[in-house]
Amino acid sequence: MTDATEVKAAPAKPRKPVESGVPDPMQYMHPVMLKNYGQWSWHERPRPGVLRHVAKSGDEIFTVRAGTQRQMDVYTIRKLCDIADQVGEGHVRFTTRSNIEFMVASFEKVPALIAALNEAGFPVGGTGNSVSMISHTQGWLHCDIPGTDASGVVKSMMDMLHKEFIAEEMPNRVKITTSCCQINCGGQGDIAINVQYTKPPKIDHSRVGMVCERPTVVARCPVAAIRPAIVNGKPSLEIDEKKCVCCGACYPPCPPMQINSAESTKLAIWVGGKHSNARSRPTFHKLVVANLPNNPPRWPEVEEVVRKILYAYKDDAKHWERMGEWIDRIGWPAFFERTGLAFTKHHLDTWVGSRNTMNMSAHVRF
């Protein structure tokens, strides 16, 4: 019978990956992190983009965070790995917001690592009270109902916000998200930039019977606005436009129900979303600007609104207030006044079911 000492001394085998999980991360982990796993005592930020983690044993490791794009080609990945091998210690990891983090056990390696990343065009920052890298959906790459490519919006916004990424000068961290529509991937954020569809789909009745599974399309509509119909003697669909909320959910199972067009595809700005429960409860974001033009490649109208909101928050919020906490403190009337944004009919719930939200009057309340 094998004793406990022999079991402990035996080399550990990586956990076998399963469909519902990822490969064993321990085999890729930095030796210092592996040694002190679950035994970290405290951390600090020596400068923007750099974190120092100290374990209970006294061991320490430094993390250097750099911004990268969401989708990367092999050339870019190899360049980042070369930097890790040449001036780092060969260990990297990616964050949920598409940043790459390099881990080294000595601070002496940090300046060279930062210099190499900046020279290669990767900004170092995104820690503490900064504007973190914008998280976004993949848009044209994989989605079935995108109104625009979120990656392009992110590129435009981060060009404007570069200085806020590499510095820690905001009242608190600012999470910005983008989404190609508001039905599938509209994530919560301090500022969220989402595509909105403003008109019901246009139906190509000649193709519905050949392409669409009509019961699936009817079942997919969240407000029961679609029903079967016979048009020109062929099976098709019809829409009750009084019920339709222009969500776009009908398009994936039925491409002839085209909802994306230059006239109907706009962008909307939402604010105040928060996932964490630090200092205050998690919150949903709220719509503040609607019907902005989908105007690639730089989206100047969206950029202008984001700038107004972000710098009104930066100038007025107290230390450690998140965007939603600042708005709750000053009130929505003051928010619209200080940002110079208009309160319009788009802030009122008019679709069937809005009585449940009790947000049907012209008073500014959410």
Side-chain angles (χ1 to χ4, degrees), residues 133-276:
M133 187 63 65
I134 300 176
S135 64
H136 63 96
T137 53
Q138 287 86 352
W140 303 133
L141 185 65
H142 87 133
C143 188
D144 50 11
I145 53 171
T148 193
D149 190 25
S151 305
V153 180
V154 169
K155 165 62 176 171
S156 176
M157 295 298 106
M158 288 309 297
D159 283 350
M160 176 187 72
L161 300 173
H162 173 265
K163 65 178 181 180
E164 302 297 349
F165 176 80
I166 63 175
E168 295 181 352
E169 299 176 349
M170 302 302 294
N172 200 336
R173 65 189 63 203
V174 177
K175 305 287 190 182
I176 301 179
T177 68
T178 61
S179 174
C180 305
C181 75
Q182 293 184 157
I183 190 66
N184 284 345
C185 300
Q188 302 299 313
D190 294 295
I191 302 175
I193 305 161
N194 297 333
V195 166
Q196 62 172 166
Y197 299 115
T198 59
K199 296 181 180 180
K202 294 181 179 180
I203 305 176
D204 183 352
H205 296 286
S206 65
R207 296 177 57 216
V208 171
M210 298 183 292
V211 177
C212 308
E213 294 185 5
R214 295 191 297 161
T216 302
V217 183
V218 172
R220 189 177 173 102
C221 180
V223 292
I226 303 174
R227 52 180 173 258
I230 300 296
V231 179
N232 298 326
K234 296 181 179 180
S236 186
L237 297 162
E238 63 181 6
I239 301 173
D240 184 343
E241 296 190 359
K242 293 182 179 179
K243 291 182 178 180
C244 180
V245 292
C246 307
C247 67
C250 55
Y251 175 76
C254 188
M257 299 189 72
Q258 181 58 250
I259 193 168
N260 187 9
S261 69
E263 296 76 26
S264 64
T265 304
K266 306 293 182 180
L267 282 91
I269 309 294
W270 303 64
V271 299
K274 177 169 168 290
H275 288 291
S276 74

